[in-house]
Amino acid sequence: MPGSKATSSDTVARTQRYNTVSMVESISPVQGLHGVVTVPGDKSVSHRFAMLTSIAEGESLIHNYSTGADCQSTLACMQALGISHEFKEVDGQRVLAVHGKGIHGLQQAAEQLDAGNSGSTIRMLSGILAGQSFTTKIAGDSSLAKRPMKRVITPLSQMGAHIEAVEGQFPPLTIKGSHLKAIDYELPVASAQVKSCILLAGLYANGETIVREPIVTRDHTEIALRELGAEITVEPRIVRVRGGAPLVAKTLFVPGDLSSAAFFLVAALIVPDSEIVLAGVGLNPTRTALLDVLRCMGAAIKLLHIQQLNGEIIGNLEVRTSRIKGGVIEGATTAAVIDEVPILSVLGALSEDGLVIRDAAELRVKETDRIKTIEDNLRRMGVEVRTTESTLEIPGKQKLRGATIDSFGDHRIAMAFAIAGLAAKGATIIQDAEAASVSFPEFYSILKQIAR
Ligand code: S3P
């Protein structure tokens, strides 16, 4: 059993304490994982629904909104811009009601906005803020203060916004909104956040904004815009949105987060005698490269009860302990599994032939420099790993040794190494374990529930 100190009732308090108190989790090897797991609502979809329903006309109901701190940051920002929301019970479920005020309904915030740890919040919301008739300052925590923003500043400036940033590229951003002009923009870096930022700004531009992407990235913004009535057309790697069209409030459902499910998928693969079901997980094809990679490596994963809701595909994943071969992840596949690299690295060490991950320079500018934080923590567990500026190479058939892990405040590092602890010899201590709350506050309590 993982020797968790926290219970599920701690999760709210833990989220509130995030960044102030350091929590430690102790994880011990387990005999097997069994049960049905429901992961929180998808983080990417939740951000988009919160922003778009705020600028839609009327009350929208959002089912299964992410419980993670990042998505609460987005709601708090929208509230500071004059959009109220509340959580209410509908048929025994917690549902978010957002009182949208239309595309021109935001008001100037009294103070600077706080995006917390959330790159999605600051980058996507910048697109909306660029189209306002007022100035907004938006900041975040110490991790966010180091993340590159030039990728949104450049296109938004071309559209006519005026943006100040630290050293021209880091938060806080001061965004002076303007009447925007439509642009035809080719993304230099494959990024769904940047694509979305430009599409959201495009809602405020006169004419048709076009975004061209080098490879297909997650398309939740395009799907949500279509659901809410925007004028949007999508061809492979080219998205067009026309400015000025109103968005209409709607009842929406957020699928479970596949990137959160990834931790339990890998846990069930590596802990002997495990079989779990992950229920109601988002299976949007722009997100499921993880499943292809895992299956190629030998994972026994079944997809069941597939359905479509609000343009997003949802289903159950049944997974059981499997012999994992190993593999190479590169090019567009690396981009498509970029959030899952921490947990895939753990799997790589336990695989037969090891795992090589190439073309992963973007990992250097995530919540932490993940090439460094993965390497550091794998070494703490006695695992051999080689890295370059953009690659991780983890030989297979390695034994994990229980160790003291540092999450470095990164949610996915905390959770990946908690899972590693299940398959290690001896106890593993996760320092700054509360970082998991950024996307998955229930993570440790669910782990405790399914462990035998
Ligand atoms: C996200 C896109 C990805 C991903 C992030 C969420 C999104 O980032 O890593 O966790 O919701 O659009 P990039 O756009 O920087 O690739």
Side-chain angles (χ1 to χ4, degrees), residues 42-46 48-49 52 217-227 250 252-258 280-288 305-315:
D42 188 83
K43 184 160 85 69
S44 292
V45 174
S46 296
R48 287 154 170 86
F49 281 178
L52 289 172
T217 64
R218 61 191 73 191
D219 62 355
H220 305 299
T221 302
E222 295 89 311
I223 291 172
L225 279 170
R226 197 177 301 124
E227 282 293 301
K250 193 162 182 178
L252 297 163
F253 184 87
V254 182
D257 197 323
L258 180 57
V281 179
L283 297 173
N284 177 317
T286 62
R287 295 284 294 280
T288 50
H305 304 299
I306 309 288
Q307 54 174 318
Q308 200 170 353
L309 273 175
N310 302 125
E312 294 281 357
I313 300 167
I314 296 172

Side-chain angles (χ1 to χ4, degrees), residues 184-196:
D184 182 341
Y185 193 76
E186 196 157 333
L187 294 181
V189 187
S191 164
Q193 291 175 355
V194 179
K195 171 177 64 174
S196 303

Side-chain angles (χ1 to χ4, degrees), residues 266 270 294 297 324-327 329 340-357 378 383-384 392-400:
V266 171
I270 63 176
L294 290 176
M297 291 173 82
I324 297 296
K325 289 180 285 205
I329 300 174
E340 288 81 59
V341 170
I343 189 63
L344 286 171
S345 301
V346 170
L347 184 65
L350 295 167
S351 67
E352 300 281 317
D353 311 316
L355 185 63
V356 177
I357 302 166
L378 282 177
V383 170
E384 187 194 332
L392 273 158
E393 210 177 311
I394 305 147
K397 290 199 192 74
Q398 302 203 55
K399 297 260 181 292
L400 304 186

Side-chain angles (χ1 to χ4, degrees), residues 262-320:
F263 299 103
F264 290 114
L265 279 174
V266 171
L269 292 173
I270 63 176
V271 173
D273 302 317
S274 297
E275 180 160 2
I276 62 172
V277 173
L278 291 141
V281 179
L283 297 173
N284 177 317
T286 62
R287 295 284 294 280
T288 50
L290 168 71
L291 302 179
D292 302 333
V293 165
L294 290 176
R295 280 175 162 158
C296 264
M297 291 173 82
I301 302 175
K302 274 192 210 150
L303 269 58
L304 304 161
H305 304 299
I306 309 288
Q307 54 174 318
Q308 200 170 353
L309 273 175
N310 302 125
E312 294 281 357
I313 300 167
I314 296 172
N316 290 359
L317 298 172
E318 195 182 278
V319 55
R320 61 188 148 74

Side-chain angles (χ1 to χ4, degrees), residues 88-105:
K88 48 189 184 190
E89 284 260 315
V90 177
D91 298 333
Q93 287 178 2
R94 187 170 170 266
V95 177
L96 170 65
V98 177
H99 304 281
K101 289 193 182 161
I103 198 144
H104 297 294

